[in-house]
Amino acid sequence: MDNLIIAYTLKDSGFLGYIPECVAIYTDSSGQLSTRFIKVTSSNKNNYKSQIDEVDEQLMQCCFKLESDVIVSKIKDKAATSMEALQKKYFGKSKSDPAIQHVREFITDLVNRQQNRFFDLIGDRRLFLPQGKFPFMWKHLFVEMELPELKYRFVYTDQGLQYSLTMLIDNQLADLKGSELVSLKRARILRGNHIFEFDGDVEGAKLVPFFGRDSIQIPISHTEEYLQKFVLPIISKTQIEAEGFTIQTIDDLPNVVLKISEVKKAEQLDVFDGKKVVESVQNDLQFELLFEYEDFRFRAGKPAPKVKMVLNEGILSFTKVRRDLEFEGLLVKSLLNLGINLDGRAERQPYRDALDWINSHYDQIQALGIEVRYEKQDQTKRKIFVGNCAISLELNEGNDWFDVRGNAVFGEFVIPILVVLSHIRHNKSEIRLPNGEYALIPQAWFDEYQTFTDYCRFDDKTVTVAKHPCGIADRLSRNNSAKLTLNDKLRKFIDIDHISDYDLPKQFKGELRNYQLAGYNWLRLLDELGFGGCLADDMGLGKTIQTLCLLQWMKEHDRGKSLLVVPTSLVYNWQIEAARFCPEMKISVHTGKNRSVETKEFRDADLVITTYAVLRRDIEQLRVLPFHYLILDEAQAIKNPQSAVNQACLQLKANRFLTLTGTPVENSLTDLWSQIHLTNRNMLGDVNRFMRACKHPLKVDYFRQLIRPFVMRRLKSAVLTDLPEKSIFVQYCDMAPAQADFYYQIRNSFRDRFLDKAKEESNTFQLLEGLLRMRQSANHPVMVDENYTESSGKFDMVRHKLDEIIREGNKVLVFSSFVEHLKLYKKYLDERNISYCYLDGSTKEREKQVDLFQNSDNHQVFLLSLKAGGTGLNLTRAGYVFLLDPWWNPAAEAQAFDRAHRIGQKNKVFVYKFISRNSIEEKIVKLQEEKIELFNSIIEAEQDISKQFNREELL
């Protein structure tokens, strides 16, 4: 009996991009698309009520609003009553008429809004590109969650300007050739059967020229106009590669100026005789707040061009400024608190009122680091103080902060510490003394206290510092630059090696090793102090078990539900580990198209597990919910501060924040900043200021002191005595959607053929062929069909783990039963220019490959076939072993990882067995457990399997 499914298609409009349509498709009894379909319209949609949910309703509305007659009806033009006429009149070439441009912009905006809404909602629902008469011929499309990154390159010569554009997809370089434009405004492109969406300020129409060529050449006669209209805006928004010209970036803090200028008194007409009357001979004064970045000047709260171009005698250069809007906003707010609003405006006051205000607030304005610039200011030479100076500072711990007390002494004058620290913070070297003299702040005070002042909060009469920079406060104390009082818990937090033991949760079913117990105690102390942290142990040291132990304690003490965000491939592994160690914990997995925050399972959960891609799409529902902990696994996913997933994480509400990563955060300053900023908000300040500060050795040392208590990182080499000699992990991988479709087609085909010929004795060969194809498909379908172009879930996960091990400087053996499988990784490593060793049955110089791996630090990866590399080799340099596919015989697997785990091995060995979920590989693992007596006999070949398994087990 035929069934109906609701799906969506994309129709090429030719000039408005791809327009979505809703269709009802008939499927056969096995779920395959048939030859029949019906377009769903507003008039017949009620016929399909049983197949439509709330999201389908919204998707259909987008489709209906993009029907040709609906779009045409929006334009009240009798000369454009069809899409063809509308295109000809408003979208033909050289339509420079402002009225035509206005209508064209209106239409593209209308279409863009509905396209944006459609792609925001489509998720993993079925989407096709009709490429034939019947649905079974259509191309299945996938909307990618991750945003590609565009790379702009400009080459300027005396011949003109050459412009090229490429993109990065999953950190892999790709060109735009062969792509198709899906939407004109918010850029989306169709590449193969994947739809990629770009950041909102990328216009789709500007990508089209690169669908058919590598670059655009602008002749010298048009170059200057092109630079002004196109290149300048791009430079202001993003980084580009430049050749033949320079781009200088100004990113220092600005000089802040309060400009006071005289303006003529407003003249008024006498209401009786029309004569002009001036109320007073004294001019008004006008205040403006200006921020000067070298040659750039900006009025507070006002946009202005941030890039300047100089083209002089054929020599081209750009100067770009990065405005520190956070810094500017703080000063605008500070002046507002003093009674004057200069946000995007100038303020005009009567002369006397203006002078009274400036005189009464002059010291406060200078303390903010603002230069007062007044035309009639006295220009007599200032007197400079000469004499003894000293500073004293005390830090006394309060509930959530340190109170800062002390003063500075210049001769007979005592200056409050608030004034001195404020001057140091704003890099103002002079303090005006009561007698009119100016005292120069010693450079040593700047060296010692300037970073500290970044974390100070200045009120009218007090200075406080949050507890986050306790490491810096401790450093000042050790340098005798401040007197510091701390409670016992905060002292132990700074001195991380002396944290006391906390009680373990009663219903936790695991056993923590010594270093894991230390990690748990650190997590508990973080929670007690109200801090967030980053657990950055080496891969395989048990970040998961430490985190679950903490979450179980939270459950037993009614601390509320927590949210765990993980890569899609790790959802199942977290479920398994949670069920193993915390069987009483209620888990809700928030994934799939039927996910909802309104379900009872979600509301009653102790732990909600979701993915980064789902979080990004569901942020509006999740951001309003209160969580006790927000935990990010593989937290390098938020390394880009501007990414959509990073911004989504920052919107979530939680009492505590924790990130987990096996990647050394020291390798990327932005990764480090992103994780610390999430876990302890604003602790490192603005990312651009942090990056600039890290260029200075003194600042780097301060940041190291500041961050150290909040990051726990243990290397394998540091905790070897606490580890077992050999640790074996089963790493489950979800198949990619296209891979799963391919796998089930293979499985169903061979199962049906097996059932038809189950009674024939010659069925053994067909059985073995079917088992082989299923195992290959579970690894990567390209091993079965060389024309397969989609991804593999296992391949993506192994790549990720390989990258992590290589970054950590470790070595790994990679075993597979299939030589063709190993070749996929050879190609990947070759593309990344990563050196490796290789051995299969055809390798003639086995000893050379082994020697290279054992003695060369540049060859971190050894690819081996299970049969050729499973015996007779000493590979003791490897600390990791990857088994890419399970073998029927566990004894053969043991022989493989014993190549590394043997006499002479100084490292502990971590074995990872990669298993594709819902595939024959899971069944092999289960049969390994159930048929242990069979495997103990050491099977020599797969042909023996058919003699040992009964028909039900095979099915």
Side-chain angles (χ1 to χ4, degrees):
M1 179 178 179
D2 289 342
N3 298 310
L4 268 176
I5 63 167
I6 295 297
Y8 300 88
T9 63
L10 294 180
K11 177 183 177 183
D12 189 357
S13 72
F15 67 105
L16 292 174
Y18 280 87
I19 303 299
E21 294 182 343
C22 181
V23 293
I25 306 176
Y26 288 89
T27 63
D28 60 25
S29 58
S30 65
Q32 299 297 314
L33 303 184
S34 69
T35 60
R36 299 171 56 204
F37 72 97
I38 300 171
K39 180 180 176 180
V40 179
T41 65
S42 55
S43 59
N44 70 4
K45 73 168 188 174
N46 289 336
N47 298 338
Y48 311 101
K49 279 186 176 181
S50 60
Q51 283 88 17
I52 296 172
D53 61 15
E54 183 178 344
V55 175
D56 283 313
E57 283 282 355
Q58 298 179 60
L59 286 166
M60 287 180 181
Q61 288 303 316
C62 296
C63 297
F64 300 158
K65 290 178 181 179
L66 290 174
E67 292 281 358
S68 298
D69 56 347
V70 175
I71 295 175
V72 170
S73 70
K74 300 293 183 181
I75 310 299
K76 308 301 181 183
D77 186 348
K78 295 181 179 179
T81 56
S82 68
M83 287 293 281
E84 292 75 18
L86 185 146
Q87 177 182 6
K88 182 177 180 180
K89 180 171 182 178
Y90 294 104
F91 289 83
K93 294 182 179 180
S94 303
K95 300 293 184 180
S96 57
D97 185 336
I100 288 180
Q101 289 181 352
H102 174 74
V103 174
R104 182 165 54 199
E105 191 71 13
F106 171 82
I107 295 170
T108 53
D109 280 342
L110 181 150
V111 172
N112 182 62
R113 283 195 302 273
Q114 297 306 321
Q115 286 175 325
N116 289 345
R117 181 158 178 75
F118 178 84
F119 283 104
D120 285 342
L121 292 168
I122 189 67
D124 54 1
R125 292 166 191 270
R126 298 195 187 208
L127 181 65
F128 297 95
L129 184 66
Q131 289 189 332
K133 186 175 181 180
F134 305 115
F136 68 83
M137 303 168 66
W138 294 353
K139 181 190 286 190
H140 193 179
L141 304 182
F142 300 93
V143 181
E144 293 294 330
M145 297 283 188
E146 300 301 324
L147 301 180
E149 179 184 352
L150 286 177
K151 291 287 187 181
Y152 297 85
R153 175 174 172 79
F154 295 94
V155 179
Y156 176 76
T157 66
D158 56 3
Q159 302 299 313
L161 184 71
Q162 187 182 61
Y163 165 37
S164 60
L165 183 62
T166 55
M167 62 180 174
L168 285 175
I169 301 175
D170 193 21
N171 291 324
Q172 301 296 313
L173 195 63
D175 61 32
L176 292 162
K177 280 186 177 179
S179 301
E180 296 177 71
L181 187 64
V182 175
S183 50
L184 294 176
K185 287 232 166 180
R186 176 67 184 269
R188 292 181 190 86
I189 64 170
L190 177 61
R191 197 169 182 268
N193 63 344
H194 292 270
I195 293 176
F196 295 93
E197 180 179 290
F198 295 85
D199 281 326
D201 53 2
V202 178
E203 286 190 27
K206 293 182 179 178
L207 304 181
V208 173
F210 299 97
F211 291 171
R213 52 182 167 172
D214 291 323
S215 63
I216 296 174
Q217 185 70 40
I218 309 299
I220 194 67
S221 58
H222 294 86
T223 294
E224 185 169 358
E225 178 184 2
Y226 191 81
L227 289 169
Q228 291 283 0
K229 292 183 177 180
F230 186 71
V231 181
L232 267 176
I234 290 179
I235 292 177
S236 69
K237 294 178 181 178
T238 187
Q239 296 290 333
I240 71 168
E241 289 184 35
E243 185 178 325
F245 61 93
T246 60
I247 302 174
Q248 177 188 359
T249 301
I250 301 170
D251 56 7
D252 294 329
L253 288 176
N255 181 47
V256 188
V257 177
L258 180 62
K259 181 183 176 184
I260 307 171
S261 53
E262 293 189 12
V263 291
K264 289 184 178 181
K265 194 71 176 178
E267 297 177 335
Q268 297 180 345
L269 290 175
D270 185 283
V271 294
F272 297 105
D273 58 14
K275 294 180 180 179
K276 292 182 179 179
V277 177
V278 180
E279 294 181 353
S280 170
V281 296
Q282 187 68 63
N283 287 333
D284 288 340
L285 291 183
Q286 180 172 278
F287 294 97
E288 292 178 90
L289 184 62
L290 306 175
F291 298 97
E292 296 178 340
Y293 297 78
E294 295 186 9
D295 294 336
F296 290 80
R297 176 185 286 188
F298 304 98
R299 181 188 285 182
K302 286 285 190 179
K306 293 184 290 186
V307 183
K308 290 181 180 178
M309 183 185 79
V310 176
L311 183 57
N312 186 12
E313 296 181 354
I315 299 176
L316 175 65
S317 65
F318 293 87
T319 304
K320 174 182 178 181
V321 64
R322 287 200 187 100
R323 291 182 70 174
D324 194 332
L325 297 177
E326 180 183 1
F327 173 72
E328 294 182 18
L330 286 174
L331 291 180
V332 169
K333 186 176 180 181
S334 298
L335 288 180
L336 184 61
N337 292 335
L338 297 180
I340 188 169
N341 182 6
L342 299 179
D343 188 11
R345 61 192 289 271
E347 183 161 315
R348 180 171 177 165
Q349 295 182 5
Y351 191 86
R352 180 173 293 278
D353 292 345
L355 281 183
D356 286 344
W357 182 85
I358 194 68
N359 289 334
S360 62
H361 295 94
Y362 193 83
D363 289 342
Q364 291 165 290
I365 294 169
Q366 284 202 321
L368 291 170
I370 300 176
E371 174 191 345
V372 177
R373 195 176 289 172
Y374 179 40
E375 292 180 1
K376 291 189 177 181
Q377 195 171 3
D378 187 6
Q379 298 297 320
T380 57
K381 186 177 181 180
R382 296 179 296 172
K383 295 181 179 180
I384 304 300
F385 166 81
V386 177
N388 293 327
C389 56
I391 187 170
S392 62
L393 192 68
E394 293 183 13
L395 302 173
N396 298 312
E397 186 182 356
N399 290 331
D400 297 312
W401 58 81
F402 295 108
D403 290 316
V404 183
R405 299 174 185 172
N407 53 56
V409 177
F410 298 91
E412 63 181 297
F413 300 107
V414 178
I415 307 299
I417 197 67
L418 175 144
V419 176
V420 178
L421 293 181
S422 179
H423 274 63
I424 291 175
R425 179 177 184 174
H426 294 101
N427 208 31
K428 295 296 182 180
S429 59
E430 293 180 339
I431 289 182
R432 190 171 186 267
L433 302 178
N435 65 352
E437 292 181 339
Y438 285 83
L440 188 67
I441 298 175
Q443 182 61 42
W445 296 6
F446 279 93
D447 294 341
E448 190 66 9
Y449 297 108
Q450 191 161 40
T451 298
F452 174 74
T453 62
D454 288 339
Y455 303 98
C456 291
R457 177 181 176 181
F458 295 89
D459 295 322
D460 289 340
K461 297 181 180 179
T462 62
V463 183
T464 56
V465 180
K467 286 187 179 179
H468 287 131
C470 52
I472 291 179
D474 183 61
R475 176 194 172 103
L476 291 176
S477 176
R478 293 175 187 272
N479 291 345
N480 296 317
S481 298
K483 182 180 178 181
L484 177 65
T485 60
L486 291 176
N487 67 35
D488 184 58
K489 288 180 179 177
L490 198 56
R491 173 65 66 188
K492 288 179 178 179
F493 179 65
I494 295 173
D495 190 5
I496 198 170
D497 295 328
H498 295 89
I499 298 176
S500 301
D501 286 342
Y502 282 83
D503 59 304
L504 290 167
K506 296 178 181 179
Q507 296 180 350
F508 186 73
K509 301 303 181 184
E511 182 176 343
L512 299 181
R513 302 187 179 277
N514 290 339
Y515 75 92
Q516 293 171 338
L517 184 60
Y520 167 76
N521 290 331
W522 175 72
L523 292 171
R524 285 288 308 279
L525 181 57
L526 276 175
D527 178 72
E528 193 167 331
L529 292 172
F531 294 156
C534 172
L535 183 57
D537 286 341
D538 252 355
M539 186 173 76
L541 293 188
K543 295 184 290 293
T544 300
I545 190 174
Q546 295 172 69
T547 304
L548 287 172
C549 191
L550 172 72
L551 290 172
Q552 179 64 33
W553 189 91
M554 296 297 156
K555 169 184 170 56
E556 293 178 11
H557 290 78
D558 298 322
R559 298 289 284 273
K561 72 162 60 69
S562 296
L563 178 65
L564 171 66
V565 187
V566 303
T568 303
S569 58
L570 296 185
V571 172
Y572 187 56
N573 286 281
W574 271 96
Q575 286 181 267
I576 292 175
E577 295 297 283
R580 174 185 173 192
F581 295 116
C582 308
E584 302 300 320
M585 187 180 294
K586 297 178 182 177
I587 307 293
S588 174
V589 178
H590 185 68
T591 58
K593 64 181 180 180
N594 295 321
R595 64 186 184 271
S596 171
V597 300
E598 302 297 332
T599 63
K600 185 177 186 299
E601 180 188 23
F602 189 101
R603 291 194 301 269
D604 296 343
D606 301 307
L607 177 64
V608 176
I609 303 176
T610 192
T611 68
Y612 288 101
V614 171
L615 170 65
R616 180 184 158 215
R617 292 192 171 273
D618 290 3
I619 186 59
E620 292 303 319
Q621 293 91 354
L622 294 173
R623 66 194 292 267
V624 299
L625 301 177
F627 297 102
H628 181 60
Y629 257 100
L630 168 63
I631 303 172
L632 306 185
D633 191 16
E634 301 291 349
Q636 60 270 21
I638 64 166
K639 64 183 179 182
N640 179 2
Q642 305 303 322
S643 67
V645 69
N646 188 307
Q647 296 302 309
C649 290
L650 291 174
Q651 294 181 59
L652 294 169
K653 296 178 181 178
N655 299 324
R656 304 284 188 272
F657 298 85
L658 177 65
T659 61
L660 311 175
T661 177
T663 302
V665 292
E666 297 93 336
N667 283 354
S668 168
L669 286 176
T670 53
D671 187 2
L672 173 62
W673 182 91
S674 293
Q675 295 199 40
I676 297 297
H677 182 66
L678 175 77
T679 54
N680 296 288
R681 211 61 54 88
N682 297 318
M683 179 173 145
L684 297 179
D686 175 77
V687 62
N688 293 323
R689 189 181 300 177
F690 171 73
M691 296 293 288
R692 293 196 300 268
C694 285
K695 297 176 183 177
H696 304 290
L698 283 176
K699 290 281 190 179
V700 170
D701 192 38
Y702 267 110
F703 282 127
R704 187 179 296 111
Q705 294 288 332
L706 173 65
I707 292 167
R708 186 183 62 82
F710 299 93
V711 178
M712 176 164 281
R713 173 154 179 78
R714 276 83 58 89
L715 304 177
K716 282 198 307 176
S717 57
V719 292
L720 284 178
T721 56
D722 295 319
L723 290 175
E725 290 188 354
K726 179 172 59 186
S727 299
I728 300 177
F729 304 92
V730 177
Q731 188 76 54
Y732 288 97
C733 318
D734 283 309
M735 289 189 283
Q739 179 188 12
D741 289 344
F742 187 96
Y743 176 86
Y744 290 123
Q745 288 178 9
I746 293 289
R747 185 199 68 175
N748 293 342
S749 172
F750 278 97
R751 183 186 60 185
D752 293 344
R753 288 154 64 184
F754 178 68
L755 288 172
D756 289 342
K757 301 181 180 181
K759 296 181 181 179
E760 296 181 16
E761 294 182 1
S762 61
N763 196 34
T764 299
F765 178 78
Q766 198 164 62
L767 160 67
L768 293 174
E769 183 186 3
L771 294 175
L772 174 65
R773 298 305 177 214
M774 290 163 65
R775 291 179 62 207
Q776 290 175 325
S777 303
N779 286 324
H780 202 308
V782 76
M783 297 169 63
V784 179
D785 181 0
E786 63 181 12
N787 295 318
Y788 180 85
T789 59
E790 302 303 317
S791 61
S792 155
K794 180 184 289 190
F795 185 72
D796 291 342
M797 176 172 282
V798 174
R799 282 191 312 165
H800 171 76
K801 293 288 185 185
L802 278 176
D803 291 345
E804 191 171 341
I805 287 173
I806 291 168
R807 284 195 299 268
E808 290 179 353
N810 292 311
K811 290 204 168 199
V812 59
L813 307 179
V814 181
F815 284 96
S816 176
S817 308
F818 303 101
V819 172
E820 291 303 316
H821 198 189
L822 294 176
K823 290 181 180 178
L824 296 178
Y825 293 94
K826 284 183 65 176
K827 180 181 178 183
Y828 173 70
L829 294 171
D830 287 336
E831 290 172 349
R832 299 283 305 280
N833 292 319
I834 296 172
S835 299
Y836 59 90
C837 299
Y838 182 84
L839 192 153
D840 65 23
S842 63
T843 303
K844 300 190 183 304
E845 297 180 325
R846 289 167 58 98
E847 295 80 5
K848 180 180 179 181
Q849 293 297 307
V850 171
D851 182 68
L852 196 60
F853 183 76
Q854 288 288 89
N855 299 306
S856 170
D857 292 335
N858 294 326
H859 292 71
Q860 294 175 249
V861 182
F862 201 155
L863 304 174
L864 307 102
S865 69
L866 195 62
K867 290 183 178 180
T871 57
L873 300 177
N874 274 323
L875 300 171
T876 52
R877 283 292 303 277
Y880 292 89
V881 178
F882 284 4
L883 299 176
L884 298 185
D885 35 68
W887 189 246
W888 297 104
N889 178 8
E893 292 182 351
Q895 286 181 340
F897 53 68
D898 279 345
R899 297 312 94 213
H901 184 247
R902 60 198 301 116
I903 294 174
Q905 173 62 273
K906 297 180 181 179
N907 299 313
K908 302 305 177 181
V909 177
F910 293 84
V911 180
Y912 283 83
K913 299 172 64 173
F914 293 90
I915 305 296
S916 290
R917 287 183 62 201
N918 300 319
S919 77
I920 189 175
E921 293 188 338
E922 277 193 321
K923 310 296 174 60
I924 292 174
V925 172
K926 185 177 181 181
L927 287 171
Q928 284 180 343
E929 298 169 354
E930 295 178 354
K931 293 279 188 177
I932 190 65
E933 68 281 0
L934 167 66
F935 297 122
N936 285 339
S937 66
I938 307 181
I939 304 171
E940 292 297 335
E942 282 194 6
Q943 278 75 2
D944 298 324
I945 297 167
S946 60
K947 301 175 183 178
Q948 303 293 345
F949 297 158
N950 60 44
R951 186 169 181 268
E952 286 69 26
E953 286 174 331
L954 290 170
L955 287 175

